[in-house]
Amino acid sequence: MVEGIISCVIVEDDPVAQKVLEVLVQKTSFLLLTKTFDDPVQASMFLKDEKVELLFLDVEMPGMNGLQLLNLLDYKPYVIIVSAKEEYALKAFEFSVYDYLLKPLDDYPRFLKAVMKVKEVYDAKPAKGKAQKAGPLFVKVDSLFHNLDLNAILWIEAYGDYIKINTDQKMLMVLSTLKSIDSKLPEDRFVRVHRSYIVNVKRIDNIDLNNLQIKDKIIPISANYREGLFARINLL
C-alpha cells in the first residue's frame, strides 16, 4: 500500500447502505476501497487471502453475522461496525472495534470522525522496515545450515509450516514462515507479491497487473501488494 493510505473492505448486505458507504469512502482521501461484499461468507474467504487494514462491517447478515466473520480471521484489522441497531454495540466493542455507526449513514462528519480514529492509530505505527543483520544469510535444512546466495534466489513460496526457496541450482525446503525470512531479505531486491510468495525483483522476466513470470513459473500478484511491487521497478 501507498504510505498513509488505508485499504478497506465493505461487508454490507443492504444495497442502499452499501452504496452510501462506497460514496463516503471515495470521498475520503486517505481511504482506498479494495472490495465490497454483500455476502459475509464470500468476504471471509477473500479476507483470508487478501489482508486489508480496515473493515466496514454490518452485524446482521444472512449466513454469518459480522462478529462471527471477525472470529474467523487470523489477523486483526481495524473495524468500524455499521448497524441499524444499537443493541450490538456492547458485544461489538468486545472485539476492539474503533467505532459503531448507526444507519442511515447520512452524516459525513460522523463518518469522518470514525475513520479519523483509525487514521490516528495507523499514522502512529512505527515505520515499516526490516531489521537486517550484516553478513550472509544461513538457512537450516535438515541438520545443516546452508549459506544462501541471495543473487541466486528466484522466488520463495509458502508451503504449510515450511517455505520453499527456489534458486537457480536447487529448491530448499526450510521450516520457517514468509514473514520471518522477509524480515531478513534486502528490501531493494526482494518484495512480497502475494500472501504465499516473495520474489527477487531482478529475476522477473515478464509482468502484468495480476501475474508475473520468473523462468517457467507464473506467480500471482495480489491487489494489496501490487503497489509495493510496482514501486520497486522502473517502467518505460
Side-chain angles (χ1 to χ4, degrees):
M1 287 300 300
V2 175
E3 186 176 356
I5 300 296
I6 302 173
S7 63
C8 57
V9 160
I10 294 169
V11 187
E12 169 62 73
D13 66 325
D14 179 348
V16 174
Q18 185 184 104
K19 184 62 179 176
V20 171
L21 274 171
E22 289 177 346
V23 171
L24 293 174
V25 168
Q26 291 165 4
K27 190 176 180 179
T28 308
S29 61
F30 57 85
L31 296 181
L32 177 64
L33 183 59
T34 302
K35 209 163 182 68
T36 299
F37 292 93
D38 57 10
D39 183 340
V41 177
Q42 290 182 0
S44 68
M45 295 171 62
F46 174 85
L47 292 167
K48 285 182 179 179
D49 293 328
E50 303 284 348
K51 294 186 177 181
V52 299
E53 292 157 318
L54 172 61
L55 287 184
F56 292 98
L57 187 61
D58 192 8
V59 178
E60 288 188 328
M61 292 180 287
M64 178 192 302
N65 70 45
L67 302 183
Q68 289 171 329
L69 186 156
L70 289 179
N71 270 329
L72 292 177
L73 300 182
D74 60 1
Y75 66 104
K76 293 185 177 180
Y78 305 115
V79 178
I80 294 176
I81 293 292
V82 180
S83 178
K85 299 180 180 179
E86 295 183 0
E87 62 195 64
Y88 298 109
L90 184 59
K91 184 67 176 176
F93 281 104
E94 292 178 12
F95 287 80
S96 301
V97 304
Y98 277 77
D99 212 329
Y100 195 101
L101 297 177
L102 286 173
K103 300 176 188 176
L105 302 169
D106 56 0
D107 186 348
Y108 181 66
R110 177 66 184 90
F111 174 87
L112 189 59
K113 180 180 178 181
V115 295
M116 284 302 297
K117 292 180 183 178
V118 173
K119 191 174 190 305
E120 287 174 5
V121 177
Y122 179 84
D123 288 347
K125 290 191 305 182
K128 295 180 180 178
K130 298 180 181 179
Q132 299 165 8
K133 294 182 179 180
L137 175 61
F138 284 80
V139 294
K140 186 177 183 182
V141 181
D142 297 325
S143 60
L144 294 176
F145 287 91
H146 294 253
N147 188 345
L148 195 57
D149 181 358
L150 299 183
N151 293 321
I153 296 174
L154 302 171
W155 73 88
I156 305 169
E157 61 187 286
Y159 189 74
D161 293 329
Y162 291 79
I163 56 173
K164 292 180 179 179
I165 302 174
N166 297 273
T167 74
D168 285 314
Q169 297 83 23
K170 56 190 173 182
M171 187 273 289
L172 299 173
M173 184 86 77
V174 179
L175 181 61
S176 184
T177 63
L178 282 186
K179 181 178 180 181
S180 178
I181 195 167
D182 189 31
S183 68
K184 297 176 176 65
L185 294 169
E187 288 184 312
D188 61 331
R189 280 189 279 172
F190 294 89
V191 62
R192 187 86 169 257
V193 298
H194 186 274
R195 68 188 296 266
S196 299
Y197 290 95
I198 294 170
V199 302
N200 184 340
V201 293
K202 295 184 178 180
R203 305 303 299 271
I204 297 172
D205 295 314
N206 299 293
I207 190 170
D208 61 27
L209 288 177
N210 299 307
N211 299 282
L212 62 86
Q213 183 175 357
I214 299 177
K215 293 188 178 294
D216 295 328
K217 177 72 172 180
I218 303 298
I219 296 173
I221 302 170
S222 296
N224 278 3
Y225 296 103
R226 185 179 296 128
E227 291 189 36
L229 169 62
F230 279 85
R232 306 282 180 85
I233 62 177
N234 293 313
L235 299 175
L236 183 62

